[in-house]
């Protein structure tokens, strides 16, 4: 019989080159690191990419290639599929029908779709089953036969002509043997097929091994992944049988009707092709009615930038981020998942699903938790943002007590155990569903595999399956002690873990009992961690950190506790109160809405004081009751401010609304400013009852005042309270009298208003906490120590199933290797050999972040701490240099007493002689100071293992450091420890070899470091000087419009964000106006811009000769007094004018007077005045006031005047006081400001900025012009077109639909060339290219 799998594999390599791009490689599973699966090939139109996983024990392999469609022997209806070739065979040893997978093939038809990492996602079986009694009667029979239908050449049918089975008469076999027949469906729906049957040739019988092909039904089942994914179709049937008449043509239909299976393990294959992939010719697609946009990318490694996306239907799919770990490899996939493709129902969105394994380490005797996969699912457009990848949890920290694992999973080491047996299919029902007759107990001398799945946790439906695993083969190794748990966390119950599936690999007796899953759930510990960033990706405003403590007593108040609240609704306060005998100090948040008066700015200092009468001395005295300092910067209410100097500080209503009444006790009156800015006041007065708590204060005045940094020498009264027994002492006017009589003496408030230093001089504040199995580790405890002895750290340490997070000080001299600069990050990882799977696995041990600024080990950084750096070494190198060949003895250098230090070539054999070693060789290499290449080497033969102490036999431990402020910062190796059994693995050169072979994924460290990169062609010189951050770029629209109120603009320019900002400027000219959108230099304005966004307006008040008079108009005299200082402005405070600097002179033209604020915050004014020269004294400027004011978004009710220019002919109109008079008379009115300020911050649809220039026949083409367009419909291009000897260069956007050929991926290079016959040259043809596109 023909081997059609051989034909299929041969077809993979005959496709000619054009069109689709596929990966191509061939690998042996025992040595996958030796193959290069990065090679790509072009295949012809009509072909598709393939992945073939051959599982034959004799010669297994993995191949990435391509195959042609519509071959002569089969038709694939859709080139996006998975084929599983599975045999149900008779095991003559156990007399049972068993299953074995022969091949798995994946086909797809978009560029690079057959990537290597998809191999781990291929299903291993469709769990095909046929009733065992039918198989025994119709396939096995008596075990041999003497005759079969015979047509050794296949005969086929189609829709009009059926197979003539008379062409296949019965024929006697030469010897008692079996029959071999196959049936190949071209179309199972229309029964178009090919049939072939014969006596099994003797040479084929001789090839049978393990009795797994002598009696079998081998099924090639295909699932079309873009169609009905829950069902498979039969592609081909191969039968080897010995029952009577088993070659009858109808047997294939019988098998088709009896065959059942479960399509599973295809969750990682998207239900729809990526958006850049054309659909197969036989299918049609329409835009979804309810579209959902998801990012769509795949990467190997822990970093995966992604800008491409796909549009799918939200009715049956959701967006996803999937991170899978396999050995030393990690894959990241952004894409989508079809809702019904998962074996458990997803009930809501968003969610995070984790699959983790708890594995027994034979070497250490410990149980370790290993994360296998994490899935984030959501159902809003672009919700699977690449920015969220770093917030994907590293683990749910699933853990089980080791005592329970040892007794229920590991067992006591007995060779045989009881195991329930129902291998054919899961048995489903409620928690008490198990019928022993469906899964009888049998004796098992291998590993018992037991699974428990929730189809829907909401209704408690479980599916249970158990069977005894087959013996390990050369290719397949089954873990002997392992628990796999798959759990899901939903956003609305983020602390609850719902268990989806549990798979147990166990050797303890009766470990397949169904009750084990209930016990496991009761013992399971887990810690999902803080999933806020994932579940609240569009919210989560800025947080404000304030000291939070309470003290009684004086200034010696130690506060090391921090609290965190929303920065938009709270600010920090430091409050000191005095009740006459005791002092109380409060560090805390204050709600912005708690204040009953309007706080205009932060920081501020508020003081409440009482002026009291002492009956014993007969004197009035002042007592400070309360002082509040408020601010809105992290840690700004620091304890050191308690030593700041605050001394003391300094209202009216119609009294008819509060009629006078007789009072025989104390009168009380209060005056409160609801809004001092608008002079809004609230007055209260009444007669205090004798029982009142204030009855003792017969004579008292309480005053509460506030000081803002914008006017630090001015005290605004907030509240005034009067307790009095004088006639008419509650008159409303008394508050104005008090304000006029009040004397204020202020101390130095600069310590509060210039509070820009976070910590205290000479001390370093670090967070000080530790957490166990808490990936977030919220911490509010701090500790201050001398800044010249310690620095701050965040430490994550892995201990078996547990994880420790430690935030603390660390002594500068505590590390074995000298830390040269800050910040830094240390990572220690182990590459371990798994004896059961023969895989090398990378496991993180320790990560340390170190820094030396106040509060720099902020616990908010803990979720961003990388899980690992995925240090990897090639499997082949590890096998040769660490694992070895299994020899019992090896050479090992011996110097156990102490490390031997020197340069890289330092080793003196006499100090570390070679000795024979029959255990593990331990070899250590430590860099004491990498900058001078000093190393310390040590090696010795480990002692034999004892009951209490076992040493790993094959292990590589690597410790490295990254200095974060360096240019092109890379990982520097600190220490390498080897546990090896390969011969001569202790040679000193092995560390150089290791360093050359080492691969490291340096993940996103931007929350910790500001790593800058530079282009270089040589090895960069190592420097320890911190590099200042590069200036980020700011893109602004750049256009000019004339009399166009819309001013459509698509041109963009880029400039430094620190030195410029974006502006829209409209200038009015009589009946015309211009609009300019552009950058503006931050230093180009005469007055300092303090914050953004802002609106600045310049307006002129002009004299109208016909409609009225106003105060600046002259009386018509020919000359007037005018101060004269034309050369330069004279700057100072409000009362700065020195007459000698600007003397008064007579002026017979217009007097020009200006008043400019250099910085309104410090009240610094610049005054200038002069008599206008006659040649520029235009008539329209003779009576004019120009005002320039600014409004900031965070204080939209306040117009700050920047500059006032007065053009006047009134006498003495240049007096400096005129500007105060002007401010007192000025009124303003604004509209639409909230809309303008809000619109400037609203996010817009994705935009793409491209260079936009054109050059003709120019050797150089510098371009500094940009344009902006929709990123969804355009992309950037560089086009060079040749015209004879000349050429044109165009840099521009191009519409995605403008090209005749669909562009699938970016970037690309397109070339158009002509092959032209030349009549004038001796050459017959020449190549000329017309375009070069990028």
């Amino acid at each position: 019989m023909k081997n059609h799998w051989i034909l299929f594999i041969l077809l993979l390599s005959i496709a000619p080159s054009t069109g689709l791009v596929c990966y191509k490689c061939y690998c042996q599973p025992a040595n996958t690191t030796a193959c290069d699966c990065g090679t790509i090939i072009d295949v012809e139109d009509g072909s598709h990419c393939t992945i073939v996983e051959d599982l034959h024990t004799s010669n297994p392999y993995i191949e990435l290639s391509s195959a042609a469609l519509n071959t002569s022997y089969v038709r694939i209806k859709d080139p996006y599929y998975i084929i599983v070739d599975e045999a149900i065979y008779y095991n003559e040893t156990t007399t049972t029908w068993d299953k074995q997978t022969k091949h798995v093939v994946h086909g797809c038809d978009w560029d690079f779709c057959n990537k290597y990492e998809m191999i781990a996602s291929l299903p291993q079986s469709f769990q095909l089953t046929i009733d065992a009694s039918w198989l025994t009667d119709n396939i096995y029979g008596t075990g041999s036969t003497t005759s079969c239908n015979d047509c050794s050449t296949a005969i086929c049918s189609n829709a009009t002509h059926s197979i003539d089975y008379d062409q296949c008469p019965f024929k006697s076999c030469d010897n008692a043997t079996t029959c071999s027949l196959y049936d190949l469906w071209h179309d199972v729906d229309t029964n178009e097929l090919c049939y072939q049957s014969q006596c099994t040739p003797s040479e084929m019988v001789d090839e049978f091994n393990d009795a797994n092909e002598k009696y079998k039904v081998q099924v090639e089942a295909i699932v079309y992944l873009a169609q009905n994914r829950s069902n498979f179709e039969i592609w081909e049937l191969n039968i080897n049988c010995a029952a009577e008449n088993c070659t009858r043509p109808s047997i294939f239909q019988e098998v088709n009707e009896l065959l059942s299976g479960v399509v599973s393990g295809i969750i990682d294959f998207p239900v729809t092709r990526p958006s850049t992939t054309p659909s197969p010719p036989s299918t049609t697609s329409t835009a979804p009615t309810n579209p959902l946009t998801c990012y769509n990318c795949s990467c190997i490694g822990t970093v995966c930038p992604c800008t491409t996306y796909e549009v799918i239907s939200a009715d049956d799919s959701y967006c996803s981020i999937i991170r899978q770990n396999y050995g030393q490899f990690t894959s990241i996939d952004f894409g989508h998942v079809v809702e019904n493709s998962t074996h458990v129902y997803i009930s809501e969105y968003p969610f995070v699903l984790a699959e983790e394994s708890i594995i027994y380490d034979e070497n250490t005797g410990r149980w370790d938790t290993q994360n296998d996969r994490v899935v984030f699912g959501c159902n809003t457009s672009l919700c699977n943002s690449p920015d969220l990848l770093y917030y994907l949890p590293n683990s749910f920290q699933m853990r089980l007590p080791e005592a329970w694992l040892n007794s229920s999973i590991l067992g006591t080491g007995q060779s045989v155990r009881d195991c329930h047996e129902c291998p054919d299919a899961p048995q489903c029902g409620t928690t008490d569903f198990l019928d022993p007759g469906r899964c009888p107990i049998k004796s098992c001398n291998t590993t018992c595999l037991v699974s428990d799945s929730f189809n829907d946790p909401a209704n408690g439906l479980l599916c249970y399956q158990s069977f005894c695993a087959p013996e390990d083969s050369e290719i397949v190794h089954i873990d002997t002690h392992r628990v796999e748990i798959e759990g899901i966390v939903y956003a609305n119950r983020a602390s609850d873990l719902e268990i989806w599936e549990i798979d147990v690999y166990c050797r303890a007796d009766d470990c397949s009992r169904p009750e084990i899953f209930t016990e496991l759930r009761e013992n399971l510990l887990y810690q999902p961690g803080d999933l806020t960033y994932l579940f609240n990706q569009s919210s989560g405003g800025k947080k404000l950190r304030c000291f939070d403590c309470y003290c009684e007593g004086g200034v010696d108040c130690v506060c090391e506790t921090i609290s965190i609240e929303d920065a938009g609704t709270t600010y920090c306060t430091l409050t000191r109160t005095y009740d006459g005998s005791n002092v109380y100090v409060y560090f805390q948040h204050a709600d912005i809405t708690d204040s009953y008066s309007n706080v205009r700015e932060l920081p501020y200092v508020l003081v409440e004081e009482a002026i009291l009468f002492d009956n014993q001395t007969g004197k009035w005295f002042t007592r400070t009751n309360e002082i509040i300092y408020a601010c809105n910067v992290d840690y700004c209410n620091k304890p050191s401010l308690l030593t700041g100097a605050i001394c003391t500080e300094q209202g009216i209503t119609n009294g008819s609304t509060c009629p006078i009444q007789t009072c025989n006790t104390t009168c009380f009156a209060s005056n409160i400013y609801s809004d001092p800015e608008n002079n809004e006041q609230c007055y209260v007065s009444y007669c205090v009852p004798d029982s009142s708590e204030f009855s003792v204060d017969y004579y008292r005045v309480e005053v509460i005042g506030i000081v803002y940094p914008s006017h630090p020498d001015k005290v605004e009264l907030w509240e005034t309270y009067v307790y009095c027994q004088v006639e008419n002492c509650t008159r409303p006017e008394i508050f104005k009298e008090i304000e006029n009589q009040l004397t204020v003496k202020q101390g130095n408030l600069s310590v509060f208003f210039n509070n820009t230093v976070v910590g205290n001089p000479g001390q370093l504040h670090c967070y000080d906490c530790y957490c166990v199995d808490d990936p977030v580790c919220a911490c509010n405890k701090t500790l201050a120590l001398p800044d010249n002895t310690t620095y701050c750290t965040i430490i994550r340490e892995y201990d078996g199933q547990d994880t420790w997070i430690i935030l603390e000080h660390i002594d500068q001299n505590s590390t074995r290797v000298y830390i040269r600069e800050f910040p830094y990050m240390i990572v220690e990882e182990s590459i371990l050999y798994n004896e059961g799977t023969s895989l090398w696995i990378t496991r993180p041990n320790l990560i340390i972040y170190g820094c030396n600024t106040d509060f720099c080990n902020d616990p908010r950084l803990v979720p961003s701490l990388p899980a690992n750096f995925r240090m990897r070494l090639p499997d082949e190198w590890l096998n040769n240099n660490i694992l070895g060949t299994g020899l019992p003895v090896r050479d090992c250098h011996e110097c156990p007493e102490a490390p031997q230090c020197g340069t890289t070539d330092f080793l003196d054999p006499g100090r570390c002689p070679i000795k024979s070693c029959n255990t593990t060789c331990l070899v250590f290499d430590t860099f004491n100071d990498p900058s001078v290449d000093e190393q310390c080497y040590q090696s010795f033969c480990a002692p034999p293992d004892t009951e209490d102490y076992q040493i790993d036999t094959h292990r590589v431990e690597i410790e490295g450091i990254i200095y974060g402020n360096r240019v092109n910062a890379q990982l520097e190796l600190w220490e390498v420890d080897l546990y090896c059994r390969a011969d001569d693995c202790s040679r000193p050169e092995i560390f150089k070899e290791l360093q050359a072979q080492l691969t490291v994924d340096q993940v996103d460290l931007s929350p910790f470091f500001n790593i800058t990169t530079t282009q270089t062609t040589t090895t960069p010189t190592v420097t320890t000087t911190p590099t200042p951050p590069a200036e980020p770029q700011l893109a602004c629209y750049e256009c000019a419009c004339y009399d166009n109120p819309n001013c459509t603009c698509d041109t963009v320019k880029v400039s430094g964000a620190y030195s410029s900002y974006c502006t829209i400027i409209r200038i009015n000219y009589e009946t015309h106006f211009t609009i300019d959108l552009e950058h503006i230099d931050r230093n180009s304005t005469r007055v300092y811009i303090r914050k953004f966004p802002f609106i600045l307006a310049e307006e002129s008040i002009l004299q109208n000769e016909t409609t009225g008079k106003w105060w600046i108009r002259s009386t018509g005299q020919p000359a007037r007094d005018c101060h004269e200082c034309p050369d330069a402005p004279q700057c100072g405070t409000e009362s700065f004018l020195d007459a000698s600097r600007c003397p008064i002179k007579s002026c017979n033209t217009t007097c020009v007077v200006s008043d400019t604020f250099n910085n309104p915050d410090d009240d610094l004014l610049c005054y200038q005045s002069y008599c206008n020269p006659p040649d520029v004294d235009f008539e329209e400027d003779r009576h004019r006031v120009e005002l320039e004011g600014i409004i900031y978004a965070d204080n939209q009710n306040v117009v700050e005047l920047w500059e006032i220019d007065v053009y006047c002919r009134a006498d003495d109109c240049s007096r400096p006081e005129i500007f105060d008079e002007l401010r007192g008379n000025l009124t303003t009115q604004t509209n639409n400001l909230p809309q303008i300020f809000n619109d400037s911050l609203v996010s817009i649809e994705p935009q793409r900025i491209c260079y936009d220039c054109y050059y003709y026949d120019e050797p150089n083409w510098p371009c500094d012009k940009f344009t902006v367009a929709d990123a969804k419909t355009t992309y950037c291009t560089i086009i060079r077109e040749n015209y004879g000897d000349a050429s044109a260069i165009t840099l521009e956007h191009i519409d995605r639909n403008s090209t005749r050929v669909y562009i699938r991926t970016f970037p690309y290079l397109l070339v158009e060339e002509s092959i032209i016959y030349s009549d004038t040259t001796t050459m017959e043809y020449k190549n000329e290219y017309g375009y070069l596109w990028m």
Side-chain angles (χ1 to χ4, degrees), residues 384-576:
N384 63 334
S385 167
D387 295 336
L388 298 178
L389 176 61
Y390 309 113
Y391 301 109
L392 222 60
N394 299 317
S395 170
F396 279 0
Q397 294 295 315
M398 299 186 197
R399 307 180 307 284
L400 289 164
E402 294 206 355
W404 184 89
L405 289 164
N406 291 336
S407 61
S408 300
I409 308 298
L410 181 62
T412 58
Q414 67 271 30
S415 59
V416 179
R417 62 215 44 88
D418 288 343
C419 182
H420 288 267
E421 190 75 16
C422 44
D424 299 331
Q427 309 299 316
C428 300
T430 60
T431 53
D432 303 321
F433 70 93
L434 188 64
D435 176 3
R438 295 158 64 183
C439 297
I441 294 176
K442 292 187 178 181
S443 183
C444 176
N445 62 357
T446 60
T447 302
C448 192
L449 307 187
V450 200
S451 67
D452 186 40
S453 303
F454 271 99
N455 265 15
D456 187 350
N459 59 26
L461 183 64
L462 298 169
C463 290
Y464 168 92
Q465 188 171 13
S466 175
F467 56 91
C468 188
E471 295 282 350
D472 285 353
S473 65
E474 184 180 351
I475 303 304
V476 179
H477 302 278
I478 294 177
D479 278 344
T480 53
H481 314 103
R482 179 189 188 109
V483 179
E484 288 182 359
I485 305 173
E486 201 167 331
I488 190 169
V489 173
Y490 292 106
N492 70 348
R493 44 189 187 277
S495 60
D496 297 334
L497 181 71
E498 292 185 4
I499 301 299
W500 255 23
E501 181 172 344
I502 303 170
D503 297 316
V504 173
Y505 301 70
C506 58
R507 293 204 169 193
D509 196 43
D510 198 26
C511 61
S512 65
R513 62 191 184 279
E515 297 82 9
I516 198 171
F517 298 108
T518 302
E519 299 170 18
L520 185 149
R521 288 183 174 87
E522 292 172 352
N523 283 284
L524 182 66
L525 300 175
Y526 57 88
Q527 181 64 53
D530 185 5
L531 302 176
T532 305
Y533 291 101
L534 290 170
F535 291 154
N536 302 322
Q537 52 192 295
S538 60
S539 60
K542 182 182 177 183
K543 300 298 182 183
L544 178 66
R545 301 199 151 204
C546 304
F547 284 95
D548 190 353
C549 300
Y550 163 73
C551 302
E552 293 187 22
V555 297
D556 296 329
C557 180
V558 177
C559 182
E560 297 175 341
T561 303
I562 304 295
S563 61
I564 307 170
E565 300 290 346
D566 182 12
T569 59
T570 65
Y571 52 84
C572 303
T573 60
L574 169 57
T575 305
R576 183 166 63 199

Side-chain angles (χ1 to χ4, degrees), residues 1185-1299:
V1185 178
E1186 287 185 357
L1187 301 130
E1188 201 168 328
I1190 191 169
I1191 298 175
Y1192 292 107
D1194 60 355
N1195 200 0
Q1196 299 179 23
N1197 296 321
V1198 176
V1199 179
E1200 293 183 5
L1201 288 184
W1202 256 23
E1203 182 172 347
I1204 304 170
D1205 297 315
V1206 175
Y1207 300 74
C1208 59
R1209 292 200 168 201
D1211 195 42
D1212 197 26
C1213 61
S1214 65
R1215 62 191 184 276
E1217 297 81 9
I1218 197 171
F1219 297 108
D1220 284 337
E1221 299 168 20
L1222 183 148
R1223 290 183 177 88
N1225 286 280
L1226 183 67
T1227 60
T1228 61
Q1229 180 178 350
T1230 60
N1231 54 25
N1232 294 331
L1233 293 185
Q1235 178 181 351
I1236 293 173
F1237 285 132
N1238 291 338
D1239 287 351
S1240 69
L1241 302 176
V1242 171
S1243 60
I1244 60 175
E1245 287 292 318
Q1247 302 288 294
R1248 175 163 286 110
I1249 301 170
C1250 300
Y1251 285 94
D1252 193 344
C1253 296
Y1254 175 81
Y1255 299 90
Y1256 182 77
D1257 206 20
E1258 295 181 27
N1260 299 313
W1261 27 284
C1263 182
D1264 60 356
K1265 181 185 176 184
F1266 303 79
T1267 56
V1268 63
D1270 183 10
K1272 295 181 179 178
T1273 59
T1274 67
Y1275 56 91
C1276 304
T1277 59
I1278 302 175
I1279 304 174
R1280 183 174 68 202
E1281 297 175 272
N1282 298 319
Y1283 307 96
D1285 294 329
S1287 64
I1289 302 293
T1290 307
L1291 298 88
E1292 63 179 356
H1293 285 86
I1294 191 168
D1295 190 283
R1296 287 178 180 265
N1297 298 320
S1298 65
T1299 52

